[in-house]
């Protein structure tokens, strides 16, 4: 199985690429920076539609086709709407939502040929918003809506799964002001454990759909 993974240089994307390889499948990584591991990869800024589409086509042709796409790339910019610079706010939406749409759109011709699968990564903040996270919540609410619409559009052609992860122990929170970092009580998940849920969804036989998965710490404050 050839699996294209966005954001595969770090965090959940990297954990997914590693889990895919352990399963005996092949990982093809798209990220804004090169992964340290020796995955097949190409660099692209997913906020740029042309770069995103080029990256998908390049890796799909290199792989000889795609069987699955996992859209794990994501960024954040914390703060109140009035305080976050408009360019920064919009960049979050471009990467998280529009980048997801661009990658899926470019991958669909390959996935339809293979009767493949899509796993999109939303967030618990795509179900329940928090203050000072309007950009991230807007983008992840969008991913939820996009994915549910795709499940309807693509039924019988391409499998579609929405992953809703809670907080994980990744570099996602690095560089934030302390007020926006998870406290010691957060009990963040190991991204490798969340990646196993993705592998499970990818491994279902054709016609057996895992439509939505919520994977979060048992102390998650943003769910339910």
């Amino acid at each position: 199985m050839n699996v294209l993974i966005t954001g595969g240089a770090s965090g959940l994307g990297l954990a997914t690429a590693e889990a895919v390889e352990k399963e005996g499948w092949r990982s093809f990584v798209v990220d804004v920076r090169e992964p340290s591991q020796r995955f097949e990869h190409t660099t692209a800024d997913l906020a740029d539609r042309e770069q995103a589409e080029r990256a998908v086509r390049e890796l799909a042709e290199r792989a000889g086709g795609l069987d699955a796409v996992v859209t794990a790339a994501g960024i954040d910019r914390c703060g109140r709407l009035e305080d976050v610079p408009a360019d920064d706010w919009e960049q979050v939406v471009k990467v998280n939502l529009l980048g997801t749409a661009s990658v899926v759109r470019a991958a669909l011709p390959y996935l339809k040929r293979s009767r493949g699968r899509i796993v999109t990564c939303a967030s618990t903040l795509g179900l329940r918003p928090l203050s000072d996270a309007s950009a991230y919540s807007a983008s992840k609410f969008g991913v939820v809506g996009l994915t549910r619409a795709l499940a309807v559009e693509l039924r019988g052609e391409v499998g579609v799964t929405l992953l809703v992860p809670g907080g994980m122990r990744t570099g996602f929170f690095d560089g934030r002001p302390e007020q926006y970092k998870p406290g010691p009580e957060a009990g963040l998940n190991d991204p490798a454990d969340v990646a196993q849920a993705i592998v499970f969804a990818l491994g279902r036989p054709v016609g057996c759909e895992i439509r939505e998965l919520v994977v979060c710490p048992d102390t998650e404050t943003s769910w339910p």
Side-chain angles (χ1 to χ4, degrees):
M1 181 185 291
N2 297 330
V3 184
L4 185 146
I5 302 156
T6 68
S10 63
L12 178 60
L14 173 58
T16 301
E18 291 173 339
V20 163
E21 295 278 330
K22 287 179 183 177
E23 198 69 19
W25 305 336
R26 300 169 71 199
S27 295
F28 294 83
V29 166
V30 180
D31 204 300
V32 73
R33 61 185 184 278
E34 293 192 4
S36 56
Q37 287 81 347
R38 294 185 177 180
F39 301 121
E40 288 277 355
H41 69 275
T42 190
T43 57
D45 178 0
L46 297 185
D48 184 315
R49 176 166 49 85
E50 291 185 358
Q51 287 192 42
E53 292 176 346
R54 183 267 308 160
V56 172
R57 289 193 299 268
E58 178 183 324
L59 288 178
E61 295 303 319
R62 200 186 301 176
L66 294 175
D67 300 293
V69 168
V70 179
T71 60
I75 62 171
D76 193 7
R77 186 66 162 83
C78 300
R80 296 175 65 85
L81 177 63
E82 62 196 293
D83 297 329
V84 177
D87 286 347
D88 293 349
W89 199 98
E90 292 176 8
Q91 184 76 359
V92 174
V93 176
K94 286 177 182 178
V95 171
N96 296 359
L97 175 57
L98 300 185
T100 294
S102 295
V103 167
V104 170
R105 185 187 297 113
L108 278 178
Y110 305 97
L111 296 175
K112 286 184 176 181
R113 284 199 289 270
S114 64
R115 189 71 187 275
R117 293 188 175 278
I118 299 162
V119 177
T120 62
C121 297
S123 168
T124 52
L125 267 64
L127 301 177
R128 177 184 173 188
L130 295 178
S131 177
D132 293 24
S134 63
Y136 192 74
S137 285
S139 69
K140 293 302 187 177
F141 266 80
V143 170
V144 171
L146 169 66
T147 307
R148 289 174 176 171
L150 287 174
V152 177
E153 283 186 19
L154 298 173
R155 59 178 56 173
E157 296 181 281
V158 176
V160 177
T161 297
L162 171 67
L163 175 70
V164 181
M168 292 173 281
R169 295 192 298 273
T170 71
F172 188 72
F173 303 109
D174 293 351
R176 293 185 178 191
E178 286 301 316
Q179 71 191 93
Y180 297 130
K181 291 183 178 181
E185 74 286 351
L188 304 177
N189 277 333
D190 185 336
D193 294 332
V194 182
Q196 286 301 315
I198 295 174
V199 168
F200 175 76
L202 294 179
R204 296 311 88 207
V206 171
C208 177
E209 289 300 311
I210 307 297
R211 286 301 190 199
E212 301 192 4
L213 284 166
V214 178
V215 185
C216 62
D218 62 359
T219 54
E220 179 69 52
T221 57
S222 59
W223 191 90

